[in-house]
Amino acid sequence: VWVALNRSGQIETHPGSRQASQDDHGNTLAPTDFDGWLTNITSFSPDAVRSFREKLTPDIRDNLLPDDLDDSSFLIKANLASGRRLYATGVLLFGEQPEALLPHSYVQCFEIADITRSAPQTQKEFYGPLIRQIEGAMAFIESRIDKVEIREPGDLAARFDFQYPMVCLREMLA
């Protein structure tokens, strides 16, 4: 996925390549086989797993994927791993370098100086676990869009009102 933000405040997103991927043995896997693709990858980022688990809704945390599961048991119970091997979805969510298995699994963000694409632009690419990519892209966008600081009487902390609804932007990225 790549996201472009131009100086006139327009945002564009474009999906990445929809080409078939290959597994470690050179077998071609169509994108429709992605969920069932059991890889040979066994390593994952405990920080990415922790961050993901913290964002689960309370009903899922209480009933389906309780906090007392260790990371490996969590991945198996969530159908993201089998034994010690990660499914491709698990690699994308929690692998330190998912782009090694899925070359197009990164986010590109662009800031275009004006409405012509030939104008100078700032570009940043985000790699790693999916949550790190989304958070990096959100920080890139937040630092480049208009925002107004709002201070409520009696509140010590200010809040920001952004040019675009940040929840919508996050959903667009995710």
Side-chain angles (χ1 to χ4, degrees), residues 13-159:
T13 61
H14 299 270
S17 170
R18 301 289 290 173
Q19 297 174 345
S21 300
Q22 291 188 338
D23 68 10
D24 295 338
H25 303 290
N27 300 314
T28 300
L29 299 167
T32 56
D33 295 338
F34 189 82
D35 290 337
W37 181 9
L38 185 59
T39 71
N40 290 326
I41 297 175
T42 59
S43 63
F44 57 88
S45 166
D47 291 337
V49 173
R50 186 187 73 252
S51 176
F52 181 85
R53 292 177 78 169
E54 289 170 353
K55 291 170 179 57
L56 291 174
T57 59
D59 62 315
I60 291 175
R61 289 179 78 170
D62 294 341
N63 301 317
L64 300 174
L65 299 166
D67 292 337
D68 62 351
L69 292 173
D70 63 55
D71 288 348
S72 294
S73 299
F74 168 83
L75 293 172
I76 291 168
K77 189 158 174 95
N79 295 319
L80 297 168
S82 178
R84 295 190 38 81
R85 295 170 54 196
L86 294 173
Y87 285 101
T89 305
V91 173
L92 184 61
L93 288 170
F94 307 120
E96 284 292 346
Q97 295 181 311
E99 64 278 0
L101 180 69
L102 306 159
H104 302 288
S105 63
Y106 63 96
V107 174
Q108 293 178 316
C109 293
F110 297 87
E111 179 183 28
I112 302 170
D114 66 28
I115 60 173
T116 65
R117 293 202 180 232
S118 61
Q121 57 185 324
T122 304
Q123 175 184 353
K124 177 95 178 169
E125 295 177 349
F126 300 95
Y127 295 90
L130 187 59
I131 191 72
R132 190 180 307 152
Q133 294 178 35
I134 293 170
E135 289 170 349
M138 286 298 295
F140 181 91
I141 293 167
E142 283 179 15
S143 70
R144 287 164 171 79
I145 62 174
D146 292 336
K147 57 185 166 245
V148 176
E149 185 176 320
I150 299 172
R151 293 194 179 267
E152 299 289 337
D155 285 344
L156 296 176
R159 68 176 178 83

